[in-house]
Amino acid sequence: MPEGTTQPFVTHVLKAEKIVFSEYDHHIQRRLSAMKGQYLDQAAYQALLAREDALLYEVYEMRRPEVPGELLFGLSIVHPGIVGQEYFMTKGHFHTVLETAEVYYCLRGEGFMVMETPEGECKVEALRLDSVLYVPPRWAHRSVNTSSDTDLVTFFVYPGHSGHDYGSIEQQGFRKLILARDGRPEIVDNPRWHSPEKRKK
Amino acid sequence: MPEGTTQPFVTHVLKAEKIVFSEYDHHIQRRLSAMKGQYLDQAAYQALLAREDALLYEVYEMRRPEVPGELLFGLSIVHPGIVGQEYFMTKGHFHTVLETAEVYYCLRGEGFMVMETPEGECKVEALRLDSVLYVPPRWAHRSVNTSSDTDLVTFFVYPGHSGHDYGSIEQQGFRKLILARDGRPEIVDNPRWHSPEKRKK
């Protein structure tokens, strides 16, 4: 469907071995090489990257005008995998317009949404089939797939004028990490996290 | 969860014989008596109402502050049934702030979304399991359940500041009706529809 259409339209979520939209405007594929500096175990990251620039996650998006009152929506698909002890995850971002929310509906798999405000308040919520997660305005968010063999698939909706700020998280990281310990996910403090106080200096 | 919270939260879509949220702020139940004047066959409407004030549809809503940047979301459940030749349906509404969109994800059942602009442009889209429907800003919308035995269940998201204008549709109706003809749904012109031109007079 043409970007900027004012006509209603339908797409279908096709649930086979992969989950995809029947129609979409945009398909983003994020590989390991796009996550430089984001994983705690840098040696494991480099070793894995030397072997293969693995596909970490994909996004199918329906583009709409990026203005207030409009809604952007799509599918996020985080593949299973691990870098050192850390699960495959999305880059994570704030919205450029901080005062914008996001809603996620989990369609397959299991994992966590790691969230954080600019002031350093943090929260981690579990996702499983048919979980609906509300991310309030001001909260950065990152999806983490903790399954060993299944995609973490979410359907997301956010306001048209939100925008994406990836830079802040690239620099400061999230306060919490999800690590595999004895084969089970554990929420731990990120030793490399930059607190808002440190960041000011 | 308290209205106006700034904390992330999760609710779960529980899919048993009925589909419900595990947690919600608001549960709306709309009965036949709330649809006075909306059905084409007024005699059938009155006869049915005399027998029972049937439950037509329910909405489970998560309340959020009604401001731009926020998102309101919930479940809409239209039960199966018929009034004369016309299927059970929602009241249908414009958003008070016309320039706001809405996104629907169909979780169960089958039916149609009947849509219309203030200028009288109209469109009808079919809904079935895993259909994702985008309703652009300016389009009034009504869900119609065409199944004889299954709820039509949709998950919806719309901007916090949208508001609901039910009055316009109550007065003018929708341009298109979905009628059962030989047991199958048919899209027909609404003979009682008030065109924008007529409405001006």
Side-chain angles (χ1 to χ4, degrees):
Chain A
M1 57 252 18
E3 188 162 337
T5 179
T6 57
Q7 292 291 312
F9 62 77
V10 167
T11 184
H12 294 96
V13 176
L14 307 176
K15 292 177 176 164
E17 195 186 327
K18 282 191 66 173
I19 292 187
V20 293
F21 271 156
S22 62
E23 297 181 72
Y24 52 88
D25 294 328
H26 203 202
H27 180 203
I28 299 162
Q29 294 183 296
R30 275 267 204 245
R31 296 183 178 276
L32 197 58
S33 53
M35 296 287 276
K36 194 170 181 303
Q38 297 302 294
Y39 279 98
L40 182 62
D41 187 338
Q42 291 286 299
Y45 174 84
Q46 290 300 341
L48 194 59
L49 189 57
R51 282 210 304 278
E52 187 200 356
D53 192 6
L55 183 61
L56 300 188
Y57 65 99
E58 303 177 66
V59 178
Y60 292 90
E61 270 191 314
M62 216 53 82
R63 302 306 299 175
R64 303 298 313 145
E66 300 192 358
V67 298
E70 278 283 359
L71 296 169
L72 298 175
F73 62 101
L75 291 174
S76 162
I77 300 155
V78 186
H79 297 300
I82 210 150
V83 179
Q85 288 189 297
E86 214 171 350
Y87 298 98
F88 280 12
M89 60 192 185
T90 63
K91 292 188 84 156
H93 61 273
F94 286 96
H95 290 165
T96 311
V97 177
L98 261 183
E99 299 295 337
T100 51
E102 187 151 351
V103 172
Y104 286 84
Y105 190 115
C106 184
L107 300 175
R108 180 176 289 174
E110 53 193 65
F112 291 92
M113 190 71 77
V114 178
M115 293 168 280
E116 187 168 321
T117 68
E119 293 76 28
E121 192 178 5
C122 63
K123 193 155 184 188
V124 175
E125 292 277 4
L127 296 173
R128 55 179 168 80
L129 179 63
D130 292 326
S131 297
V132 177
L133 168 68
Y134 167 77
V135 181
R138 304 183 60 76
W139 289 74
H141 38 284
R142 155 181 288 171
S143 314
V144 180
N145 183 355
T146 57
S147 166
S148 59
D149 56 8
T150 305
D151 288 341
L152 173 64
V153 184
T154 52
F155 172 73
F156 60 80
V157 183
Y158 60 96
H161 64 302
S162 303
H164 294 87
D165 163 18
Y166 291 103
S168 302
I169 292 297
E170 276 174 7
Q171 284 171 39
Q172 77 202 45
F174 277 91
R175 189 163 184 167
K176 298 288 181 185
L177 302 178
I178 315 289
L179 299 186
R181 295 258 172 96
D182 302 323
R184 298 181 65 176
E186 208 175 289
I187 302 168
V188 301
D189 287 332
N190 178 3
R192 298 192 306 152
W193 181 65
H194 296 281
S195 72
E197 210 153 277
K198 269 204 245 162
R199 274 177 262 148
K200 274 187 208 140
K201 288 174 187 170
Chain B
M1 55 247 28
E3 187 161 338
T5 181
T6 57
Q7 292 292 312
F9 62 76
V10 167
T11 185
H12 294 96
V13 177
L14 307 177
K15 292 178 176 165
E17 195 186 328
K18 282 192 65 172
I19 292 187
V20 293
F21 272 155
S22 61
E23 297 181 74
Y24 51 88
D25 295 327
H26 204 199
H27 180 202
I28 299 162
Q29 293 183 298
R30 278 260 208 252
R31 296 184 177 277
L32 197 58
S33 53
M35 297 287 276
K36 193 169 183 303
Q38 297 304 293
Y39 279 98
L40 182 62
D41 187 338
Q42 292 286 301
Y45 173 85
Q46 289 300 343
L48 194 58
L49 188 58
R51 281 210 304 279
E52 186 201 355
D53 192 7
L55 183 61
L56 301 187
Y57 66 99
E58 303 177 66
V59 178
Y60 293 89
E61 268 190 317
M62 215 53 84
R63 302 306 300 173
R64 302 299 312 144
E66 299 193 357
V67 298
E70 278 283 359
L71 296 170
L72 298 175
F73 62 101
L75 291 174
S76 162
I77 300 155
V78 185
H79 297 300
I82 210 151
V83 179
Q85 288 189 299
E86 215 171 351
Y87 298 99
F88 280 11
M89 61 191 185
T90 64
K91 290 187 85 154
H93 61 272
F94 286 97
H95 290 166
T96 311
V97 177
L98 260 183
E99 299 294 336
T100 50
E102 187 153 349
V103 172
Y104 286 84
Y105 190 116
C106 184
L107 300 176
R108 181 178 286 175
E110 54 193 64
F112 292 91
M113 190 72 77
V114 179
M115 292 167 282
E116 187 167 320
T117 68
E119 293 76 29
E121 192 179 4
C122 63
K123 192 154 185 188
V124 175
E125 291 277 4
L127 295 173
R128 56 177 167 82
L129 178 64
D130 292 325
S131 297
V132 177
L133 168 68
Y134 167 78
V135 181
R138 302 183 61 78
W139 289 74
H141 39 284
R142 155 180 288 170
S143 313
V144 180
N145 182 356
T146 57
S147 165
S148 59
D149 56 7
T150 306
D151 289 340
L152 173 64
V153 184
T154 51
F155 172 73
F156 60 79
V157 182
Y158 61 95
H161 63 302
S162 303
H164 294 88
D165 163 18
Y166 291 102
S168 301
I169 292 298
E170 276 174 7
Q171 285 170 39
Q172 79 202 43
F174 277 91
R175 190 164 184 166
K176 297 289 181 184
L177 302 178
I178 315 290
L179 298 186
R181 295 260 173 95
D182 303 322
R184 298 181 64 178
E186 209 174 289
I187 302 167
V188 302
D189 288 332
N190 178 3
R192 299 192 306 154
W193 180 66
H194 296 280
S195 71
E197 209 152 278
K198 269 204 245 162
R199 273 176 262 148
K200 273 188 211 142
K201 288 174 191 171

